[in-house]
Amino acid sequence: MPDSVVPEVPAFLQSLNPQQRSAALHGEAPLLIIAGAGTGKTTTLAHRVAWQLASGVDPSRLLMLTFTRRAAAEMLRRVESIVLQLDPATVKNPAVCDRSALRRIRGGTFHSVSTNLLRRHGHLIGLHPDFTILDRGDSEDLMNLARTELNLPKSANRFPLKATCLDVYSRCVNTQCGLDLVLQKWFPWCLEHQERLGQLFSIYTETKEKQRVLDFDDLLLFWNALVADPVASPIVRSQFSRILVDEYQDTNVLQAEILKNLCPDGIGLTAVGDDAQSIYSFRAATVRNILDFPDQYPNVTLIPLEQNYRSSQCILEVTNQVIAEAVERHRKELWSARSGGTKPQLVTCPDEDSQSEYVIDRILERREKGVSLKQQAVLFRASHHSMALEAELGRRNIPFVKYGGLRFLETAHIRDVISFLRLAENPLDMVAGFRVLVLLPGIGQSKASALLDQLRGAGGQFETWESWTPPTALRDLWPQFLGLLRGLQRPPRQDDQNVASSLYAIRSYYTPLLEAAYDNVTARVNDLKQLEAIAGRYQSRGEFLAEMALDPPTSTQELPADPLLDEDYLILSTIHSAKGLEWDSVYILHAADGNIPADMATGSAEEIEEERRLFYVAMTRAKNHLTVMRPERYYFHNRHRSDQHSLSKVTRFLTPAVQTLMERVSHGMPQGAEQRGSSSLIQGDTSEIRRRISKLWG
């Protein structure tokens, strides 16, 4: 519903719809923007920032918090493009219309902003500013060292593995719940280990303290401690007059506490999100934060964004009905100015193979009508749900990309090189030191531990290792290793500021070790060169290491098909990975109870509600065509070996009220079979057949 131009509104805001404009022009009282899927959330937030700058807010006192580095960069880019087009005469402080001034805006992920604040002010709460950051893998390794120290792997009862231990620890920190409650609610199979887990976590935290390292959870924990400290809090609060938080539905309890400590009365705070898209409870995010925001800040203004710019109206009618059946939500009704379009389809197929066949046929059919493969996506609840489809795509030679490839830091050779740099930056980082030492020939785990104890005793001075006599296999490499570490520790010369030069020195030493330890050496060396190119964009090794730990780039080496070899490729993605994206045509696989919702996520009403929101997120990715698929039969084994199968039931989220808004299609089913339903009883009389066959024994 287009609205007329409002003369008193600045020209750069007149393109916004009424709800977006109200949000952009809102004052400094707390604001909650409920931004439905496809309603121009980023546009609204960027214009709100631009309006605040035009109204005189100092760019350096404005903080934007996002959940990915890419989102932060896009937000800052949009703000810059708006402000740089303003007439300086119409701006309260014309200095903001300069690119250098706009770069003083602080924006980034919670973890990256925390890192910067702790570097500058952490000493106020006793934190050493030269800490290094452990990524997920390093945190697991350190947790495992603590498990070994307590001799837990050899305990009589099976003790949780390092990854589970870290999950329990992280859940305690991010939910701010006690260990007993966390175990009862999320890890009941670990209840018998409660006492020993408590001991393990104590050693884990003590070890991090000794080594001057922080894990991801520490970054939030220490930031919260900083803004809760009576001395440090006023210093940090005074730096920000406006705070804008994107994707607020994805915050956890600890992040909400940080914001409350930063803005106790909510003045200057803007939160943007959609409770209907809260789908990350497995990361400790809680939908309660956005649902209870009005209770946390009683004088809040709530503005819903309801005009959808992505999907056709017939798709929105279905998605509105799906989310309307949620038990608790902020009410909104999405609508689109785009009338017409095709009704979303609910397709029932005999089995999984037929489902793959139907999806591929429709994809190719739309491709012939001008919808490229890149503009089509197949979504599924769990990664293994696409296995049959991937096999058929391969057979038909259709290129595809599956979202969720390995990150750089998840590959062994990249982790090795990063560990060299981390050890040089922080000689007390035992996880990095252990990984580097065991790469060297002739050094096993026991000798590595002894050398690290020696280094710790010497206060991190690498000279202490000069007294050790290396074995024959290491006679030449050991002096070179010490020379490398000393060179990396030495203050850089003016012409040696680029972080890439440090990585080049490490690669030169590391390549012979790489050739001895790994296969596919050429591809791995190319990865290292690519890492050097990335490092060239950073001004300090500390900044580079923090970014690599907090938000590393992904490697295209591990994609199931290389999209660069073809001009077009299909998108396959889990629903979680698809959040925030959109395509012309979306196909949702396995819309059957047990898959959507997942059978492991129906233990409580809260879990089922999150599964409903996940299904809603999948459906709202579609612009013009939405197809929801359900195989009627699931075979227990490969169908060529066995005919044993179970019958599926359409997902509970497609209630009769929802299905009336969809087109029902039966693919490869006997006439009328889909209408009967897989669980219906067929009424009839087969007595004549039975009478005829009875002569065999009569």
Side-chain angles (χ1 to χ4, degrees):
M1 301 176 194
D3 57 297
S4 58
V5 172
V6 181
E8 63 271 22
V9 173
F12 75 94
L13 296 179
Q14 290 180 356
S15 62
L16 303 181
N17 68 45
Q19 291 175 321
Q20 292 174 329
R21 190 181 304 136
S22 295
L25 290 170
H26 181 78
E28 63 178 14
L31 172 65
L32 176 61
I33 303 173
I34 302 298
T39 56
K41 172 196 69 174
T42 304
T43 296
T44 304
L45 203 52
H47 280 80
R48 175 156 175 75
V49 173
W51 168 248
Q52 291 179 333
L53 294 173
S55 302
V57 174
D58 183 346
S60 66
R61 300 193 64 209
L62 198 150
L63 173 64
M64 293 192 300
L65 292 168
T66 63
F67 275 83
T68 67
R69 180 172 53 186
R70 182 179 302 172
E74 173 63 14
M75 186 74 68
L76 290 169
R77 185 194 66 77
R78 291 208 196 184
V79 170
E80 186 175 285
S81 82
I82 296 170
V83 174
L84 291 180
Q85 295 180 42
L86 298 181
D87 180 355
T90 65
V91 175
K92 189 170 184 179
N93 178 11
V96 301
C97 297
D98 181 82
R99 188 171 275 108
S100 61
L102 293 173
R103 287 175 180 164
R104 287 159 43 210
I105 297 174
R106 292 194 237 180
T109 66
F110 272 86
H111 293 91
S112 64
V113 171
S114 172
T115 300
N116 293 330
L117 288 173
L118 292 175
R119 295 275 191 218
R120 295 173 58 194
H121 306 295
H123 65 279
L124 296 173
I125 54 173
L127 179 66
H128 198 288
D130 291 334
F131 61 83
T132 52
I133 301 171
L134 300 177
D135 65 13
R136 170 74 192 200
D138 294 323
S139 300
E140 289 184 4
D141 290 343
L142 192 61
M143 183 70 76
N144 203 41
L145 290 175
R147 286 175 80 248
T148 304
E149 184 176 334
L150 284 175
N151 208 28
L152 293 176
K154 297 182 180 178
S155 57
N157 295 332
R158 182 171 57 92
F159 195 77
L161 296 175
K162 61 181 181 180
T164 302
C165 293
L166 188 63
D167 285 341
V168 175
Y169 170 83
S170 183
R171 181 75 65 161
C172 289
V173 173
N174 287 294
T175 62
Q176 295 290 280
C177 291
L179 177 58
D180 55 343
L181 180 59
V182 167
L183 292 179
Q184 289 173 27
K185 188 171 182 179
W186 289 289
F187 303 90
W189 63 92
C190 298
L191 271 168
E192 63 176 306
H193 303 294
Q194 179 175 336
E195 182 178 350
R196 287 182 294 177
L197 280 169
Q199 296 170 352
L200 173 65
F201 297 162
S202 295
I203 290 180
Y204 175 66
T205 53
E206 290 168 6
T207 304
K208 287 187 293 181
E209 185 75 18
K210 291 176 184 176
Q211 297 184 13
R212 293 209 302 260
V213 296
L214 303 184
D215 60 23
F216 288 174
D217 301 322
D218 288 332
L219 292 173
L220 299 181
L221 193 66
F222 280 68
W223 185 7
N224 194 39
L226 190 69
V227 291
D229 183 82
V231 175
S233 180
I235 296 173
V236 177
R237 284 182 194 168
S238 65
Q239 296 181 33
F240 309 114
S241 61
R242 297 290 188 275
I243 299 176
L244 300 97
V245 188
D246 194 13
E247 304 287 7
Y248 191 72
Q249 78 279 350
D250 294 336
T251 55
N252 59 41
V253 170
L254 185 53
Q255 288 163 327
E257 281 192 16
I258 291 169
L259 292 170
K260 187 66 175 176
N261 282 321
L262 272 174
C263 303
D265 53 7
I267 297 300
L269 177 62
T270 298
V272 184
D274 182 6
D275 54 288
Q277 297 185 68
S278 178
I279 59 174
Y280 291 119
S281 67
F282 66 93
R283 296 179 186 168
T286 172
V287 70
R288 298 302 335 163
N289 283 351
I290 193 167
L291 291 176
D292 298 340
F293 194 87
D295 298 326
Q296 289 289 318
Y297 304 96
N299 57 336
V300 68
T301 297
L302 194 154
I303 299 178
L305 302 183
E306 298 174 300
Q307 182 174 356
N308 180 283
Y309 296 93
R310 174 188 300 158
S311 305
S312 62
Q313 183 61 34
C314 54
I315 291 177
L316 293 178
E317 288 172 0
V318 173
T319 57
N320 282 337
Q321 184 62 41
V322 167
I323 203 63
E325 297 175 9
V327 174
E328 187 177 5
R329 68 188 181 109
H330 287 299
R331 304 195 69 82
K332 61 184 181 302
E333 190 78 11
L334 300 187
W335 61 274
S336 173
R338 295 174 51 207
S339 58
T342 59
K343 267 190 173 185
Q345 290 185 327
L346 172 58
V347 181
T348 303
C349 302
D351 52 34
E352 193 172 3
D353 290 341
S354 297
Q355 176 181 247
S356 299
E357 174 189 86
Y358 184 86
V359 166
I360 293 174
D361 287 347
R362 297 293 80 72
I363 288 169
L364 295 178
E365 180 182 293
R366 290 201 173 113
R367 179 175 177 270
E368 290 301 313
K369 293 179 179 179
V371 181
S372 67
L373 294 179
K374 289 181 185 177
Q375 281 300 308
Q376 303 188 64
V378 183
L379 308 183
F380 31 86
R381 175 63 178 85
S383 184
H384 66 271
H385 287 171
S386 67
M387 289 175 61
L389 177 62
E390 290 177 48
E392 185 62 15
L393 288 170
R395 191 183 70 80
R396 296 206 198 182
N397 198 29
I398 299 173
F400 66 91
V401 167
K402 186 173 180 179
Y403 277 76
L406 287 177
R407 291 182 179 272
F408 264 124
L409 289 188
E410 292 171 354
T411 57
H413 54 296
I414 297 294
R415 291 177 67 85
D416 290 345
V417 167
I418 294 292
S419 294
F420 275 94
L421 198 58
R422 280 178 39 199
L423 180 61
E425 282 289 292
N426 179 9
L428 299 183
D429 186 341
M430 297 296 107
V431 172
F434 192 85
R435 185 178 188 95
V436 166
L437 287 175
V438 296
L439 286 170
L440 305 180
I443 296 183
Q445 296 187 4
S446 298
K447 176 51 67 177
S449 297
L451 287 169
L452 291 172
D453 288 340
Q454 181 184 350
L455 181 63
R456 188 185 302 115
Q461 298 299 315
F462 291 120
E463 286 77 9
T464 189
W465 282 348
E466 293 177 354
S467 61
W468 179 60
T469 303
T472 303
L474 196 54
R475 184 171 299 160
D476 295 329
L477 282 174
W478 185 251
Q480 295 171 20
F481 175 61
L482 295 180
L484 172 66
L485 292 177
R486 284 194 295 267
L488 293 173
Q489 274 198 321
R490 196 177 300 121
R493 300 186 304 272
Q494 187 64 34
D495 61 345
D496 197 29
Q497 292 284 348
N498 198 315
V499 185
S501 62
S502 296
L503 289 179
Y504 175 78
I506 294 171
R507 176 167 62 87
S508 299
Y509 178 82
Y510 172 71
T511 299
L513 303 175
L514 171 68
E515 293 170 345
Y518 302 113
D519 57 5
N520 200 12
V521 172
T522 301
R524 293 178 189 267
V525 169
N526 287 336
D527 273 351
L528 299 181
K529 291 178 180 177
Q530 188 175 356
L531 186 66
E532 289 171 31
I534 293 170
R537 301 197 292 264
Y538 294 88
Q539 296 186 7
S540 73
R541 293 200 299 239
E543 180 190 4
F544 169 74
L545 287 172
E547 287 295 318
M548 287 301 100
L550 297 175
D551 195 7
T554 55
S555 170
T556 57
Q557 296 287 336
E558 305 299 334
L559 294 174
D562 188 349
L564 302 178
L565 298 179
D566 216 291
E567 82 282 359
D568 199 9
Y569 48 89
L570 178 67
I571 304 297
L572 308 185
S573 177
T574 62
I575 301 172
H576 282 102
S577 296
K579 185 172 177 289
L581 303 175
E582 60 183 40
W583 295 275
D584 176 272
S585 305
V586 169
Y587 311 83
I588 302 174
L589 303 184
H590 299 290
D593 261 21
N595 292 325
I596 300 177
D599 54 2
M600 297 294 288
T602 55
S604 67
E606 291 82 4
E607 288 179 325
I608 294 173
E609 285 304 294
E610 177 155 334
E611 291 290 301
R612 182 195 308 278
R613 296 193 294 269
L614 189 63
F615 187 49
Y616 172 81
V617 165
M619 300 177 83
T620 54
R621 301 309 94 196
K623 295 180 182 179
N624 297 310
H625 303 283
L626 174 63
T627 304
V628 182
M629 312 281 297
R630 176 181 71 95
E632 187 185 48
R633 294 179 180 83
Y634 285 99
Y635 288 90
F636 297 151
H637 303 286
N638 185 298
R639 65 180 303 170
H640 299 297
R641 299 180 186 173
S642 169
D643 284 331
Q644 292 185 335
H645 63 272
S646 63
L647 297 176
S648 73
K649 180 181 179 182
V650 69
T651 174
R652 68 191 71 183
F653 305 135
L654 292 180
T655 60
V658 177
Q659 291 188 39
T660 59
L661 302 172
M662 305 180 75
E663 177 187 355
R664 302 283 297 276
V665 177
S666 297
H667 171 68
M669 304 282 288
Q671 186 67 33
E674 197 274 330
Q675 282 73 18
R676 285 197 303 267
S678 58
S679 59
S680 298
L681 291 176
I682 299 175
Q683 302 297 323
D685 187 355
T686 59
S687 57
E688 177 59 23
I689 298 174
R690 296 184 185 280
R691 186 190 63 76
R692 279 183 288 167
I693 201 172
S694 65
K695 64 182 180 182
L696 295 176
W697 54 80

